[in-house]
Amino acid sequence: MHKLVEQGADIIELGIPFSDPSSDGPVIQRSVERALAKGTTLNQVLELVAQFRETDADTGIVLMGYLNPIEAMGYKIFAQAASSSGVDGVLTVDLPPMEAAELNSVMRANQVDTIFLVAPTTREERVASITEHCSGYLYYVSLKGVTGAALIDFDSVTANINKLRGMTALPIVIGFGIKDAQSAAAMGKLADGVIIGSAVVEKIALLADQVEHDEQQLSDTIKVITEAREALDKLV
Amino acid sequence: MAKLEESAAVVDTAVFDGPDASGHFGPYGGVFVGETLIAAVEELAQVYEKLSADESFWAEYDSELKHYVGRPSPLYFAERLTDSAGGAKIYLKREDLNHTGAHKVNNTIGQALLAKHMGKTRIIAETGAGQHGVASATVAAKLGLECHVYMGAEDIIRQAPNVYRMKLLGANVISVESGSRTLKDAMNEALRDWATNVDNTYYIIGTVAGPHPYPKIVRDFQCVIGREAREQSLEQIGKAS
């Protein structure tokens, strides 16, 4: 995680492993299967954040996952633990805003942001109810499909981001399907941030069975972040 | 029997406790899917609300049940099983005698009609033992719709005859290798397909699961079993409870 920051990540979205990741493509699916096979729990994810915070107080940490593990832990316990571990925001992909009132109020009471998605299929009338519940940033899903898919329609994203700008003052970030410097730069022109998930996780998978990794291996693993950062910095 | 046919398929939702307007059954139910699918489930809820208030829709469904599925299915007094068990009288509602050999078709024929009314051209379904897959493949073939069935890799091995039937009916059976390689993983994979092909695809869920309005829709289409059983009980036993 520190290496990601060193290579230019401003915010780290950390996944909470769950057995039924129905919005995720094969790369993230396999990553949660590996994590669950090794017994990774939500508590361990929170401990990882706390450990990271010992030496980094500034980088944003957002937990991303599905509602089930949070529901199982209990909203209050989770919110307090997230807050004291140093989590800045939570994104639960299968919790739409209309079901989110209870979790939202508990998270807000603990100063943790709740981030929601807007998809290409989201009707305009719905956007207001999403932005009303959303804090931190608004996550625009670049395509119809699952994480790591490959068919971003640039014109449709442009049109939708422009519409969203008129409807919210929240920062807008784009994710799903951004896999290299080129797609990061294309989306970076439109958004306040871009999210790279599967492209990094795919590389991390190659290290999954190794206990030790050297600096060079780590740099190679997250090279896509380094390159995306450079491409985005050129835009400014 | 005449009476039974007339009363076949009018769903009187007033007799149910739920779901409420937001799709909840007390603390259960609701809509818990990714944002990409919200518009699709909302559209389905709207269409179903409209059609389920329309008598001609139920007449169409009713006609399919009678002439295609072969309803009403018999209520059969299992005399020797009753003797052997030595307690209550055991009756079997013979859903196995429906076309495709299970109760699943009551639901798939209804949902396929919804798909047709919504102008969808592609059907997807998940299946465990394979009965829902067969029932989905059958109604898709009947209505000329493309059909893809997601099935866990483990289940494909265990239920080979049903896989053969689905393929015979023209369906594409997709082996799901993720997770525990069983029903829930097939459902996840079907949801991923739906998110990707949401514009032209109708997802036929086979059981009272998934986001609202699915549990309500499946419940309503399977009500025919209970309604018939009640009529038949009155006719054969003289009481229904």
Side-chain angles (χ1 to χ4, degrees):
Chain A
M1 285 169 76
H2 293 298
K3 191 80 182 172
L4 286 168
V5 178
E6 190 189 304
Q7 297 301 310
D10 297 315
I11 297 173
I12 297 175
E13 283 191 355
L14 194 58
I16 303 170
F18 175 50
S19 59
D20 297 270
S22 58
S23 293
D24 284 299
V27 170
I28 308 277
Q29 285 172 46
R30 285 194 291 270
S31 77
V32 303
E33 280 175 25
R34 282 195 305 275
L36 291 172
K38 291 189 175 165
T40 310
T41 63
L42 175 50
N43 271 319
Q44 288 172 349
V45 174
L46 292 165
E47 280 165 28
L48 184 64
V49 177
Q51 213 182 333
F52 174 80
R53 279 282 177 249
E54 286 171 12
T55 51
D56 186 331
D58 304 322
T59 305
I61 299 283
V62 172
L63 297 187
M64 183 174 191
Y66 296 78
L67 184 62
N68 203 311
I70 295 171
E71 172 96 15
M73 179 178 272
Y75 290 174
K76 262 205 180 131
I77 298 171
F78 170 71
Q80 285 160 359
S83 181
S84 62
S85 308
V87 170
D88 298 297
V90 170
L91 197 180
T92 36
V93 288
D94 59 344
L95 180 70
M98 66 266 199
E99 304 278 4
E102 194 187 339
L103 181 64
N104 267 8
S105 69
V106 181
M107 298 313 292
R108 296 292 172 80
N110 286 279
Q111 288 80 48
V112 179
D113 282 320
T114 50
I115 293 149
F116 287 91
L117 307 173
V118 170
T121 52
T122 304
R123 287 176 296 103
E124 260 183 82
E125 309 88 84
R126 225 183 109 74
V127 172
S129 74
I130 296 175
T131 54
E132 184 189 319
H133 288 88
C134 187
S135 62
Y137 55 83
L138 188 65
Y139 188 134
Y140 182 74
V141 178
S142 66
L143 47 80
K144 289 175 195 162
V146 293
T147 52
L151 295 162
I152 300 178
D153 174 353
F154 185 76
D155 291 342
S156 128
V157 176
T158 309
N160 284 331
I161 295 290
N162 285 340
K163 263 189 229 164
L164 286 174
R165 292 286 186 201
M167 300 166 94
T168 180
L170 283 167
I172 300 174
V173 304
I174 303 181
F176 281 44
I178 297 171
K179 53 184 57 178
D180 51 26
Q182 196 189 355
S183 48
M187 293 296 123
K189 279 180 199 154
L190 305 171
D192 302 301
V194 299
I195 297 168
I196 301 176
S198 296
V200 178
V201 173
E202 195 166 21
K203 297 286 187 203
I204 293 175
L206 302 174
L207 299 181
D209 295 324
Q210 294 181 27
V211 184
E212 302 271 329
H213 345 280
D214 59 31
E215 284 291 308
Q216 188 57 44
Q217 276 179 316
L218 281 181
S219 299
D220 289 348
T221 300
I222 60 169
K223 206 171 80 184
V224 61
I225 299 294
T226 318
E227 290 169 355
R229 179 81 243 178
E230 282 169 8
L232 290 170
D233 287 342
K234 276 186 208 150
L235 295 177
V236 182
Chain B
M1 275 324 224
K3 194 181 164 200
L4 222 154
E5 282 159 17
E6 281 161 26
S7 68
V10 182
V11 171
D12 178 9
T13 49
V15 304
F16 297 118
D17 293 335
D20 61 21
S22 61
H24 289 98
F25 296 82
Y28 305 105
V31 179
F32 294 88
V33 287
E35 180 61 30
T36 309
L37 289 174
I38 295 286
V41 294
E42 285 185 351
E43 183 196 6
L44 177 59
Q46 277 171 10
V47 168
Y48 184 67
E49 194 178 343
K50 191 165 151 267
L51 286 175
S52 62
D54 181 349
E55 276 181 25
S56 65
F57 174 76
W58 291 111
E60 191 182 4
Y61 173 67
D62 207 5
S63 169
E64 296 291 359
L65 287 186
K66 183 179 171 187
H67 300 291
Y68 187 67
V69 176
R71 303 200 71 92
S73 65
L75 182 72
Y76 164 72
F77 176 49
E79 197 173 350
R80 297 194 65 233
L81 183 59
T82 298
D83 288 346
S84 164
K89 283 185 181 174
I90 300 169
Y91 285 81
L92 301 178
K93 178 69 173 151
R94 296 294 304 276
E95 292 300 300
D96 56 310
L97 296 176
N98 291 335
H99 181 37
T100 72
H103 69 292
K104 294 292 186 186
V105 70
N106 303 331
N107 168 50
T108 59
I109 193 77
Q111 289 203 45
L113 291 176
L114 293 179
K116 199 183 80 174
H117 279 278
M118 293 169 82
K120 305 289 184 187
T121 55
R122 184 174 176 273
I123 295 288
I124 56 170
E126 85 293 337
T127 197
Q131 291 293 354
H132 174 61
V134 169
S136 297
T138 303
V139 297
K142 181 178 187 294
L143 296 175
L145 305 169
E146 182 186 330
C147 183
H148 303 266
V149 180
Y150 289 91
M151 190 167 186
E154 289 292 325
D155 290 331
I156 284 188
I157 297 164
R158 287 196 286 237
Q159 307 289 348
N162 279 335
V163 175
Y164 175 72
R165 289 174 79 195
M166 285 182 258
K167 288 183 177 169
L168 206 57
L169 288 155
N172 175 27
V173 181
I174 301 152
S175 176
V176 177
E177 309 283 346
S178 58
S180 59
R181 304 169 15 128
T182 57
L183 178 61
K184 73 175 183 60
D185 308 288
M187 198 161 192
N188 292 335
E189 202 57 33
L191 285 168
R192 292 177 191 122
D193 177 315
W194 200 23
T196 308
N197 301 294
V198 61
D199 295 332
N200 69 346
T201 297
Y202 185 99
Y203 178 18
I204 302 187
I205 292 184
T207 191
V208 281
H212 173 73
Y214 279 104
K216 173 185 160 75
I217 288 175
V218 177
R219 191 257 330 257
D220 289 355
F221 287 142
Q222 292 296 1
C223 272
V224 65
I225 302 172
R227 270 197 314 275
E228 283 180 8
R230 185 174 194 283
E231 295 279 338
Q232 289 164 327
S233 296
L234 289 170
E235 190 181 289
Q236 294 176 33
I237 318 166
K239 57 180 185 176
S241 58

